[in-house]
Every structure is written in C-alpha cells, then in structure tokens.
Amino acid sequence: MGITLKSVSYSYQGKYQTVRAVDDVSYDFEPGKVYAIVGKSGSGKTTLLSLMAGLDLPVEGEILVDGRSTREWDRNLMRRDAVSVIYQNYNLFPLLTVQENIQYPLSLKKLPKGEALTLTKEARARVELPEHYDRRLPKHLSGGEQQRVAIARTLAQGCKIILADEPTGNLDSANTRNIVEILCSLAHDDGCTVIIVTHDTAVAEQSDVVIQMKDGSICL
C-alpha cells in the first residue's frame, strides 16, 4: 500500500498574502521503504504530510492512497484503517494506561476483546517495552518510552502507511536511533510505506530515500 501525489498544490491565506505552501508536487511513495522529507522551516514539509494524512484536501491535484483519491475516501476511516500518524509530542491520552493507549484504535474498530488484547501485547513487545509497563500512565514514562507506545499503537492498528512528523524531535541520540530502527523494521520487514518529516540528519541518514523540499516543491 503506497501513496501517489499527482501535481499536488495547497494554499492558505496568510496575514498579508496567500501562501502557496505546497506547489505542484508529484511523487510516488512505494511500500517497503523509509522516506525522509527534509528542508528548512516553512518549506512545506508538514503541510504535505498533513495532506497525505487526509487532514485537509489539496486545492489542486490528487493524492492517491492505495490507488484511491483522498477526495473519495472517508478520511476518518482512512486514518483508522490505512494511514497512521506519529507525532513529535506523542499524542497519548494522559489518563489512559500504556495498554489502553495502544488498544484505543482497536476499540474504534470494535474488535473482540481477546483479539484486541493479543494485538496490543504483541505490539508492546515489538517496541521492546516490558509487560509491567502495561498499567503505567504516560506521565510515568520517558520521552523515548512514550514514543515507543505511540509506535506500538500504530503497530496494533495495522496500517500499512505510516506518517511521522518529527518523531524524534524531543529525543536524545540513543532514543532517536532506536525509534528510527523500529520504523525501518516496519518498512523493511513488514512492507509498510514509512514517511518521516525531520530536521535531524541522523534520521535522514538511516532512511532509504531523502526528499529535499524548498518553497513548497521537491528539489530533484
């Protein structure tokens, strides 16, 4: 399951002018690879990622997720079943335990309790968090541990397209390396399409493909 961009553009109204945040971008993201999107602040990286996540629609062009335009998808279902987003600030529910956070998207899918619990425990083990973490709240975890929980939630969800917005921005070098290794494993071992927006050169160096953005466009 991949993502194809066809002449995608997006504009928004700034304080004094219309800003063309994404400008005529075409690209084919293939399964089994890790892509790093790099560029200066304001180059359009995060806007492009948001469009691929279906958080908004392009004003021009099309984004195809598994061959289907985001204009045709129910975009809430798309983010539930096809595309998962990992954020810099983890986006965990503060009053839910580790197990409950990982299991949350499975409750939305209304999976049987036993199946959901099995998937949750498998995902938690995959990111190398011990079983006794299941009942901890996010505030009792380090930044690296919270990001592992966020990735475990993605694993349990079963989406084959993973979008990550500065997933290592709050982490030290050791945790950064571990998180990127997990994301690479999802691409290389599980056949996922992994797309990471990052300012971190260490993340880009571990990726299969580095895409440079400037002024809303991809620099080839």
Side-chain angles (χ1 to χ4, degrees), residues 107-123:
S107 65
L108 297 180
K109 292 185 177 185
K110 298 181 179 180
L111 289 184
K113 187 175 181 179
E115 181 182 351
L117 185 59
T118 297
L119 290 171
T120 297
K121 290 186 176 296
E122 288 175 351

Side-chain angles (χ1 to χ4, degrees), residues 13-28:
Q13 187 61 48
K15 187 174 181 179
Y16 300 110
Q17 62 183 348
T18 299
V19 177
R20 199 166 177 85
V22 176
D23 188 12
D24 194 26
V25 171
S26 296
Y27 201 85
D28 188 18

Side-chain angles (χ1 to χ4, degrees), residues 7 12 18 34-35 40 57 59 73 77 80 88 92 95-96 112-113 126 131 160 168 176 178 185 194 196 217:
S7 301
Y12 63 88
T18 299
V34 179
Y35 298 84
K40 294 181 180 179
L57 295 171
V59 295
W73 276 92
L77 292 181
R80 189 193 74 179
Q88 178 178 350
L92 301 180
L95 299 182
L96 298 185
K113 187 175 181 179
R126 177 84 179 269
E131 186 173 359
K160 300 301 284 185
T168 62
T176 291
N178 292 335
S185 173
V194 178
I196 307 171
S217 298

Side-chain angles (χ1 to χ4, degrees), residues 8-193:
V8 171
S9 295
Y10 183 83
S11 302
Y12 63 88
Q13 187 61 48
K15 187 174 181 179
Y16 300 110
Q17 62 183 348
T18 299
V19 177
R20 199 166 177 85
V22 176
D23 188 12
D24 194 26
V25 171
S26 296
Y27 201 85
D28 188 18
F29 295 92
E30 301 174 356
K33 292 182 180 180
V34 179
Y35 298 84
I37 301 178
V38 302
K40 294 181 180 179
S41 296
S43 61
K45 306 183 304 297
T46 295
T47 301
L48 187 63
L49 199 79
S50 296
L51 292 171
M52 289 191 283
L55 297 175
D56 209 340
L57 295 171
V59 295
E60 298 173 20
E62 274 195 311
I63 298 175
L64 304 180
V65 174
D66 196 25
R68 183 178 173 190
S69 173
T70 54
R71 301 181 192 279
E72 299 171 359
W73 276 92
D74 176 323
R75 286 179 285 140
N76 288 323
L77 292 181
M78 187 185 88
R79 286 188 295 274
R80 189 193 74 179
D81 298 334
V83 178
S84 184
V85 185
I86 299 169
Y87 296 94
Q88 178 178 350
N89 61 356
Y90 324 125
N91 273 25
L92 301 180
F93 296 104
L95 299 182
L96 298 185
T97 65
V98 165
Q99 180 175 301
E100 290 166 340
N101 266 286
I102 297 172
Q103 195 168 331
Y104 180 76
L106 302 180
S107 65
L108 297 180
K109 292 185 177 185
K110 298 181 179 180
L111 289 184
K113 187 175 181 179
E115 181 182 351
L117 185 59
T118 297
L119 290 171
T120 297
K121 290 186 176 296
E122 288 175 351
R124 190 252 307 138
R126 177 84 179 269
V127 300
E128 299 181 354
L129 285 175
E131 186 173 359
H132 65 263
Y133 275 60
D134 279 349
R135 294 177 179 169
R136 291 190 182 182
L137 294 173
K139 66 181 180 181
H140 297 135
L141 305 178
S142 69
E145 289 167 344
Q146 289 188 62
Q147 195 60 286
R148 285 171 186 260
V149 175
I151 294 174
R153 182 169 57 191
T154 290
L155 282 168
Q157 192 174 350
C159 292
K160 300 301 284 185
I161 297 171
I162 298 168
L163 309 177
D165 189 7
E166 298 284 2
T168 62
N170 293 327
L171 306 181
D172 59 25
S173 58
N175 274 306
T176 291
R177 184 170 57 253
N178 292 335
I179 292 302
V180 176
E181 285 175 356
I182 294 170
L183 293 173
C184 286
S185 173
L186 289 172
H188 302 153
D189 299 336
D190 295 11
C192 294
T193 303

